[in-house]
């Protein structure tokens, strides 16, 4: 793509004084890794690809199912039954072919986490279980990688930036995962489709702020209550 076409494509970002050409160059040179191509991963992938993130890695070992479609907006009826990673790649390629998409159709575990995460600048946790969530956090701490975290359930969500420029991490907020891995989740209690769009968009915004070196509120957990339309921040 010609330089003038690149400028036109990203002009509305470049026109922001705090971003400018230097910020767009940082976005296009960045390497971001997303764990999960589901409810939270969908808006994150959508907006980071649209913004022109240079390399977008995505890990997910599930296939697209019909019940995913109320909230996982990068997938569609034609991709039901195929891997979420392949569906996400097809979406990203149609949206922005300049983005280098690296799909990993495996589960992130203790054997591969460090090798995979070490290749990226920023890690995004869109996982749906505590074992993976704490593994990702601990690996980011070990590698010195900033981690953008989010979770959703029903009408509620939360998001935070961990391990950024010496800031605190997940264990400083919640030292240990719950003992009961069978706690309620979206599969049992459900989630209203637009909620992950809200939380995932907030996560994508935090990633872009980190890339462009804009102020980031670390050591702060944002709680989102969409039923009563309340947003609260808790310092920790």
């Amino acid at each position: 793509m010609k330089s003038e076409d690149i400028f036109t494509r990203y002009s509305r970002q470049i026109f922001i004084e705090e971003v400018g050409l230097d910020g767009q160059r940082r976005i296009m040179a960045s390497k971001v890794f997303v764990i999960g191509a589901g409810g939270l991963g969908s808006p994150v992938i959508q907006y980071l690809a649209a913004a022109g993130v240079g390399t977008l890695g995505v890990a997910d070992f599930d296939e697209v199912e019909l019940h995913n479609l109320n909230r996982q907006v990068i997938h569609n009826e034609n991709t039901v039954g195929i891997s979420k990673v392949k569906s996400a790649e097809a979406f990203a390629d149609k949206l922005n072919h300049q983005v280098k998409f690296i799909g990993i159709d495996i589960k992130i575990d203790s054997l591969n986490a460090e090798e995979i995460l070490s290749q990226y600048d920023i890690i995004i946790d869109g996982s749906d279980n505590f074992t993976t969530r704490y593994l990702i956090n601990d690996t980011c701490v070990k590698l010195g990688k900033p981690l953008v975290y989010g979770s959703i359930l029903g009408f509620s969500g939360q998001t935070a930036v961990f391990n950024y420029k010496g800031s605190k991490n997940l264990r400083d907020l919640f030292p240990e995962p719950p003992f009961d891995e069978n706690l309620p989740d979206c599969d049992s209690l459900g989630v209203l489709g637009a909620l992950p769009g809200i939380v995932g968009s907030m996560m994508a915004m935090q990633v872009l702020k980190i890339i462009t070196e804009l102020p980031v509120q670390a050591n702060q957990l944002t709680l989102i209550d969409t039923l009563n339309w309340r947003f609260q921040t808790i310092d920790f």
Side-chain angles (χ1 to χ4, degrees):
M1 184 178 290
K2 297 178 181 179
S3 58
E4 57 266 29
D5 293 333
I6 294 174
F7 180 87
T8 299
R9 178 167 198 146
Y10 303 116
S11 61
R12 296 320 188 260
Q13 294 173 182
I14 294 170
F15 290 162
I16 301 171
E17 183 178 355
E18 294 85 352
V19 178
L21 282 170
D22 287 343
Q24 186 61 44
R25 291 190 183 102
R26 291 191 188 100
I27 293 171
M28 295 172 68
S30 64
K31 299 178 69 176
V32 179
F33 190 68
V34 184
I35 295 97
L40 290 174
S42 288
V44 169
I45 291 166
Q46 183 178 34
Y47 279 105
L48 294 186
V53 163
T55 301
L56 189 57
V58 177
D60 200 307
F61 60 97
D62 283 337
E63 294 182 348
V64 180
E65 299 181 65
L66 187 61
H67 67 80
N68 298 147
L69 302 186
N70 84 305
R71 65 199 181 282
Q72 301 180 18
V73 294
I74 62 174
H75 310 302
N76 60 73
E77 293 176 358
N78 293 326
T79 63
V80 170
I82 73 171
S83 76
K84 288 185 179 179
V85 164
K86 289 183 178 178
S87 176
E89 182 175 13
F91 174 89
D93 185 63
K94 287 182 180 179
L95 179 62
N96 191 347
H97 72 280
Q98 291 179 296
V99 174
K100 181 180 180 182
F101 188 99
I102 300 176
I104 305 175
D105 192 5
I106 60 172
K107 182 178 181 178
I108 300 296
D109 58 29
S110 59
L111 298 177
N112 59 35
E114 187 171 340
E115 179 184 357
I116 294 171
L117 271 56
S118 65
Q119 302 174 51
Y120 294 86
D121 305 319
I122 303 169
I123 311 303
I124 303 171
D125 178 13
S127 62
D128 60 0
N129 65 88
F130 290 108
T131 299
T132 302
R133 193 168 294 162
Y134 277 80
L135 171 65
I136 294 166
N137 174 79
D138 295 346
T139 304
C140 285
V141 171
K142 183 177 182 180
L143 297 174
K145 303 285 184 181
L147 171 62
V148 178
Y149 152 88
S151 66
I152 52 174
L153 183 65
F155 294 96
S156 302
Q158 52 185 244
T159 183
V161 175
F162 295 130
N163 204 46
Y164 179 59
K165 293 185 177 181
S167 73
K168 296 177 182 179
N169 66 79
L170 176 63
R171 289 191 184 273
D172 293 307
L173 182 60
F174 305 114
E176 297 293 335
F179 290 108
D180 186 2
E181 276 287 349
N182 296 315
L183 288 171
D185 57 17
C186 292
D187 287 339
S188 58
L189 293 185
V191 58
L192 197 60
L195 174 67
I198 295 170
V199 179
S201 294
M202 294 172 71
M203 294 167 71
M205 177 65 83
Q206 294 285 44
V207 173
L208 294 172
K209 289 173 69 179
I210 292 171
I211 294 171
T212 55
E213 300 183 357
L214 292 170
V216 174
Q217 289 68 42
N219 301 335
Q220 188 178 90
L221 179 70
T222 300
L223 303 176
I224 301 107
D225 174 4
T226 60
L227 182 59
N228 299 296
W229 208 251
R230 294 176 180 172
F231 295 76
Q232 180 181 8
T233 56
I234 299 174
D235 296 328
F236 64 92

